[in-house]
Each structure stands twice: as C-alpha cells, then as structure tokens.
Amino acid sequence: MTRAKLDKQPQDVAAMFDGIADNYDLVNDVISLGQDRVWRRAVVNAVDAHSGELVLDLAAGTGTSSESFVTKGARVIACDFSLGMLRTGAQRRGGASRGGVTFVAGDALHLPFADETFDAVTISFGLRNVNDTDQALRELLRVTKPGGRLVIAEFSHIPVALLDKLYSTYLMAALPKIAGAFSGRSEAYDYLSESIMAWPDQPALARHLQDAGWSRVAWRNLTLGTVALHRGFRK
C-alpha cells in the first residue's frame, strides 16, 4: 500500500485511504476510545441542518458522519476523493444515493459544484490531509451560499504543554500499533500520527479561515483540545 507522506500528494493520500476503507470506521472507534461518536454529535449540533437545506460533507469517507445530518430533513452530499471509501459507503447503504445522502467523488481543491450551492459545508478530520489547506478553505467558501456556515472538526493540540507532550507520545508510539492490529495497515496510521503532530494549533487554524474570507470565526475544544471544532460564516 502507498504510504502518504507529509507533502500530501493527492494520489498517495487517496491510495492510502482506499487501502484502509473496509475497517476505517471500526479503527476510528477503537483508537479514539469511542470519542469519535461524541465528536460527530458535536459537529451535527454545530451545523444544525434543517429541512430544505443542502449540506456538503467533505472528506466524508464512508458517509458515517453524513447520515447524521439528515435527521431533521436536510439533504447531504457526501464528497471524498477516495473511491475506495465512497464505494464502501455506498455498498453499506445499498446505493450511492439513499436516505437523503448522495455520494460524489471530488477533490477539495477543485470542488465539482457551482458557486453558492450549499447552506452549510463541513469537513471532519480531513482538512489536514489536503495538499493546500488555504485553497480548500477558499473552495468551501466559493460553494457556500451567502450567510451559510462552515464547521471543521480536526485533531488539534492540548493547550497544556505537559499533557500535549504525553498525547504526542501516544500518537507517535501507541496509535499506529493499536490501529495496525485492527486494520493490518500500521503504515497508514504512522502518517496520520505525523500529520496530527504537524497540524497548526487552534488560533493558527482560525487565522487560516479568516485569511480565506470566512467571517465570525471561532472555535471550541473537545476532549481537552485533542480535537477542535472551528466555525465560520460566509458574508
């Protein structure tokens, strides 16, 4: 299997995720000690999608997160550039467009949607895997309607130095071994650990959002700051 590196070449990242698609959701549940469900609920509450709205769930993977947005009647486009992830998700749901969720292949840097299409856009644990973060944020802004909102959930940094150091030790030493035992693909989780370590902290990511044109940018920490939820609006 191709092992993506921190230069995040799209073909390498896509191939890596294709290779772990079958067990991806199970491994996420294990390595997060079930916290991934808490994080998904926080994203759904922040997006607050309602009947008649159209939501873009970017880097949706198998669509596990996408399903939650339809509970109040919204329609969801689950977009990812890993065909393996999309294929697994469509198979599990019994089709590529079922129950308000439609799977679409797309690149975060060149989204296959018209300007001002979505009422809300969201990306969970995928922004750090994009080759150009700022371009992806500008693309998300482009496809969002005026007044629409953005919600990002991403691994981040604990604001207490000692705790963050301990967490970093877990990421680099334990996480790939645990994930490898369940997936058989520890090399993929070596990359994921490294990408979390190299990711900017909460204030730095907020500045990226502002520079891309998002307004009213704010964030809140989840699970001590190991994950941060950032939010912004299009003027």
Side-chain angles (χ1 to χ4, degrees):
M1 184 186 74
T2 299
R3 184 231 194 257
K5 296 180 174 61
L6 291 181
D7 61 1
K8 302 173 188 176
Q9 293 301 311
Q11 65 274 16
D12 293 342
V13 175
M16 185 194 73
F17 278 103
D18 288 347
I20 60 177
D22 289 343
N23 295 314
Y24 184 70
D25 294 319
L26 170 63
V27 174
N28 283 347
D29 211 20
V30 170
I31 62 178
S32 72
L33 303 178
Q35 286 295 295
D36 61 316
R37 302 178 190 185
V38 175
W39 303 332
R40 282 200 299 269
R41 285 197 297 271
V43 171
V44 170
N45 291 336
V47 171
D48 193 27
H50 293 281
S51 179
E53 291 192 319
L54 182 61
V55 178
L56 172 62
D57 187 13
L58 185 58
T62 61
T64 300
S65 59
S66 308
E67 296 172 353
S68 304
F69 296 115
V70 303
T71 55
K72 295 182 180 179
R75 294 173 297 126
V76 183
I77 300 298
C79 184
D80 203 290
F81 74 161
S82 167
L83 296 180
M85 287 284 190
L86 295 173
R87 189 178 300 114
T88 297
Q91 289 172 348
R92 289 177 182 174
R93 294 183 60 81
S97 185
R98 297 289 295 273
V101 177
T102 299
F103 289 93
V104 174
D107 184 344
L109 303 183
H110 306 283
L111 291 173
F113 309 111
D115 296 356
E116 302 180 6
T117 296
F118 298 96
D119 298 283
V121 296
T122 184
I123 180 169
S124 295
F125 309 107
L127 188 60
R128 76 181 191 287
N129 298 318
V130 176
N131 182 256
D132 187 336
T133 300
D134 296 323
Q135 173 62 18
L137 291 173
R138 289 191 293 268
E139 272 291 275
L140 286 167
L141 185 74
R142 178 184 66 79
V143 302
T144 303
K145 295 178 180 178
R149 64 268 189 206
L150 162 73
V151 175
I152 299 171
E154 190 53 87
F155 291 109
S156 197
H157 299 275
I158 300 174
V160 178
L162 178 59
L163 291 179
D164 197 49
K165 185 175 181 179
L166 292 173
Y167 175 57
S168 299
T169 300
Y170 163 73
L171 285 176
M172 297 306 296
L175 185 149
K177 292 179 181 178
I178 296 170
F182 283 86
S183 69
R185 304 282 193 173
S186 61
E187 62 272 33
Y189 291 91
D190 284 329
Y191 157 77
L192 292 174
S193 296
E194 292 167 8
S195 68
I196 295 169
M197 292 285 293
W199 188 245
D201 64 12
Q202 293 87 325
L205 181 56
R207 288 192 292 273
H208 280 279
L209 268 70
Q210 292 168 335
D211 291 343
W214 293 96
S215 65
R216 295 159 56 195
V217 173
W219 76 86
R220 67 185 179 95
N221 290 330
L222 305 175
T223 317
L224 301 177
T226 57
V227 168
L229 207 64
H230 283 71
R231 190 170 184 174
F233 292 84
R234 176 170 178 175
K235 296 178 181 179

